[in-house]
Amino acid sequence: MMKKISKLLLIIICCFTFLLIGCEAEPAIDDDYHNWDKVVVKEATCTENGLIRYTKGSDSREEVIDALGHDLIEEATGPTCTEYGKKVTKCSRCGKVISYQNVASPLGHNYIYKVVEESIDGSIGKKQKVCEVCGMVESEYKYVNNGYSRFGKLHVEGTDLVDKDNNPVQLIGLSTHGLHWYGEYVNEVSLAACKEAFNVNLFRFSLYTSENGYCECSEKKKEELYNRVLEGVRIATKLDMYAIVDWHMLGEENDNDKNPLYYKEQAKEFFDRITKDLADYDNVFYEIMNEPCGKTTWADCKTYAEEIIPIIRANKPDAIVLVGNPKWSSDLVSPKNNPLSFTNIMYTFHFYAADIKDTTKVTKAYAAGLPIFVTEHGGMDADGDGALDRDSTAKWYQVLDARNISYVAWNISHSKGSSAILKAKTANLDDFSNTNLKEWGIYYKAHIKARLGLNG
Ligand code: IDC
């Protein structure tokens, strides 16, 4: 019995010892081969096994190291000018992107217009349209500085608009459409882009009185429109330009509005307020009546002007005032025969070249000593639509340019009709390159460049 028990005990001890030996971790080859030469043939990577070779004399052994597997982390990248912002799942070790999700749209470029070669005293300079964030140069173009920093505060001398040194100066500009319809263009990005594309030195801000405009809308809307005019002038000033505040009476839908006297009280209030607000601005013209028409006489226009001009002058004694006249501001004969007695005023003339071809309307009045400012024109029909009459328009420019008469084209918008310079509303309202322009915009731009000697 005793024998049996000791045999069983022996078996148990043997099993236990065996188990102990079996359970003990196999010693790493490295330990076993610590005095062998070790060469890492291939490091294990995330996806591929590694290999280590041990050699001693002619003997050699290899050890396979298992692939490590990816170490996944999540990373967020912000959007750039051209790339989406992403949530990326990637391996921290090998950098492999396993998956990603677009979480924010590209920001788009942030253009500034950088002087590369300065335009001094009318010389031709060079600018670049460049992204201020990523430095991408979108285009390089010639320009002429024809802004306020060059000509300074203007005044009227005989028939001429003259600069701070009494030299005749010509302003060439663009008008907004009705600010209550296309106010979105009154922002610095759009107006800067427009200025740079056209090399204009003047913007006209058209505040419609009727058609749900300034005199026919809620108080809240009225305030908004007022502020939009101010904002426009401030932006034009920042852009080194001149500005026209245009009291855009027209009578298109409200017959009474054909006569400036109809909204005279509102005009008085408006011009009093705005000339106080803009008293420090020497680059602003006040156009007190866009287009008297219908049965309005020059006597009506005169009566109106004689009330409005003193209000403007009380706050801004040296402001240049632009005075309209009957027949949609195309009657220069009446003011020529019976002018206002104020100094520092100019009479406005509007033409749409496909309709009005008689340039003697201007040449005769000018020869008679009338100071003229074309605050609105187009190359098409007077309804702001239809084909451009290139010959007639070119003839008008010859007449105006020869006399340094300033002019402003209708209009900065994507409205219906051939007189809107833009085909459609562009993404950021900041691209006035030819692909986005209607024929009128392209034509006017080319004309200005030729006038300033920027072609070629
Ligand atoms: C036109 C606009 C058009 C608008 C119309 C009525 O182009 O979209 O529907 O006014 O408000 C003028 C006016 C100017 C006109 C323009 C073209 O000063 O407001 O704009 N025009 O018709 N005088 C002659 C032509």
Side-chain angles (χ1 to χ4, degrees):
M1 179 64 183
M2 211 33 215
K3 217 175 175 184
K4 245 184 183 175
I5 289 172
S6 57
K7 201 174 173 188
L8 193 64
L9 207 64
L10 192 70
I11 291 171
I12 289 170
I13 289 168
C14 281
C15 282
F16 192 69
T17 313
F18 180 77
L19 257 175
L20 259 180
I21 293 168
C23 282
E24 197 185 321
E26 207 180 294
I29 289 179
D30 210 11
D31 294 338
D32 274 5
Y33 298 91
H34 65 273
N35 53 355
W36 291 45
D37 290 334
K38 175 185 172 185
V39 176
V40 177
V41 180
K42 188 170 173 265
E43 293 275 12
T45 66
C46 295
T47 50
E48 288 182 16
N49 293 343
L51 187 70
I52 298 178
R53 181 171 301 131
Y54 297 90
T55 48
K56 192 174 189 185
S58 57
D59 209 355
S60 94
R61 304 284 158 85
E62 285 181 345
E63 183 190 16
V64 172
I65 309 293
D66 287 342
L68 306 169
H70 290 303
D71 176 33
L72 296 186
I73 52 163
E74 253 186 15
E75 235 177 39
T77 59
T80 67
C81 296
T82 50
E83 302 271 329
Y84 280 89
K86 298 183 179 78
K87 209 167 89 189
V88 181
T89 304
K90 64 190 252 190
C91 173
S92 72
R93 205 171 6 251
C94 68
K96 184 177 161 83
V97 173
I98 309 300
S99 66
Y100 71 84
Q101 214 184 330
N102 287 338
V103 291
S105 303
L107 300 170
H109 294 295
N110 225 335
Y111 290 115
I112 51 167
Y113 306 90
K114 207 169 99 184
V115 175
V116 181
E117 245 173 75
E118 208 173 338
S119 157
I120 299 162
D121 291 334
S123 73
I124 293 172
K126 223 183 255 175
K127 281 190 186 179
Q128 280 177 348
K129 181 176 180 181
V130 54
C131 175
E132 121 185 275
V133 180
C134 71
M136 196 272 294
V137 177
E138 200 266 349
S139 58
E140 187 170 277
Y141 55 95
K142 293 182 195 165
Y143 83 104
V144 167
N145 174 11
N146 55 357
Y148 188 82
S149 60
R150 178 167 163 212
F151 299 124
K153 184 171 166 178
L154 311 178
H155 67 278
V156 182
E157 199 74 68
T159 51
D160 296 334
L161 190 57
V162 299
D163 69 9
K164 59 182 185 331
D165 304 318
N166 289 327
N167 294 315
V169 59
Q170 183 186 35
L171 302 184
I172 300 185
L174 274 159
S175 177
T176 66
H177 199 296
L179 293 176
H180 64 312
W181 288 317
Y182 295 96
E184 67 258 52
Y185 291 96
V186 181
N187 71 81
E188 198 178 331
V189 169
S190 301
L191 293 180
C194 182
K195 173 206 161 167
E196 294 300 325
F198 284 82
N199 210 140
V200 281
N201 53 6
L202 168 72
F203 284 131
R204 174 186 191 236
F205 298 97
S206 295
L207 183 68
Y208 271 65
T209 44
S210 61
E211 296 184 73
N212 302 317
Y214 192 72
C215 302
E216 296 177 1
C217 65
S218 67
E219 282 301 312
K220 184 167 170 267
K221 185 84 194 166
K222 196 172 160 186
E223 199 58 19
E224 257 174 56
L225 288 171
Y226 181 82
N227 286 321
R228 201 165 289 157
V229 178
L230 279 188
E231 178 66 3
V233 171
R234 288 189 184 124
I235 295 169
T237 307
K238 197 166 168 200
L239 296 173
D240 193 33
M241 300 171 75
Y242 296 87
I244 295 177
V245 172
D246 161 33
W247 185 254
H248 204 84
M249 46 76 56
L250 175 65
E252 176 83 1
E253 282 178 0
N254 175 354
D255 259 355
N256 294 314
D257 193 37
K258 293 183 187 323
N259 192 317
L261 291 169
Y262 183 67
Y263 280 131
K264 188 186 72 181
E265 291 310 315
Q266 286 87 337
K268 281 160 82 172
E269 203 185 303
F270 172 78
F271 282 109
D272 180 43
R273 183 178 175 194
I274 202 148
T275 47
K276 276 184 181 134
D277 282 340
L278 296 176
D280 294 337
Y281 289 68
D282 287 331
N283 57 335
V284 184
F285 295 77
Y286 296 95
E287 183 175 0
I288 59 177
M289 45 182 148
N290 167 48
E291 291 187 352
C293 50
K295 296 194 177 81
T296 309
T297 61
W298 172 238
D300 295 333
C301 298
K302 242 187 133 183
T303 304
Y304 172 82
E306 279 162 352
E307 283 201 52
I308 302 294
I309 295 174
I311 291 172
I312 294 175
R313 293 279 163 82
N315 300 328
K316 189 71 186 158
D318 45 11
I320 300 179
V321 179
L322 305 172
V323 182
N325 49 68
K327 298 190 186 133
W328 300 277
S329 289
S330 73
D331 172 19
L332 293 175
V333 176
S334 302
K336 186 184 74 183
N337 294 337
N338 185 9
L340 285 157
S341 55
F342 302 94
T343 56
N344 226 18
I345 63 169
M346 299 185 100
Y347 297 92
T348 64
F349 182 79
H350 291 181
F351 70 86
Y352 281 75
D355 272 342
I356 299 190
K357 305 190 181 186
D358 179 9
T359 55
T360 64
K361 279 169 172 278
V362 164
T363 52
K364 281 185 183 160
Y366 181 86
L370 212 65
I372 299 163
F373 198 129
V374 175
T375 52
E376 193 186 300
H377 79 283
M380 62 301 301
D381 293 327
D383 64 357
D385 204 0
L388 292 191
D389 188 328
R390 289 167 175 260
D391 289 345
S392 171
T393 312
K395 198 172 144 211
W396 272 110
Y397 289 149
Q398 265 171 25
V399 165
L400 302 177
D401 290 340
R403 292 161 181 78
N404 269 320
I405 294 175
S406 299
Y407 44 89
V408 180
W410 184 256
N411 69 74
I412 307 169
S413 82
H414 55 275
S415 78
K416 277 192 292 188
S418 57
S419 61
I421 59 169
L422 288 161
K423 283 184 197 160
K425 190 165 166 173
T426 56
N428 301 313
L429 304 169
D430 70 344
D431 188 350
F432 290 81
S433 56
N434 285 1
T435 45
N436 292 329
L437 297 181
K438 289 185 189 174
E439 189 187 353
W440 173 227
I442 296 172
Y443 177 88
Y444 191 52
K445 188 194 277 184
H447 164 71
I448 297 171
K449 302 257 154 139
R451 172 72 181 142
L452 299 178
L454 298 174
N455 284 345

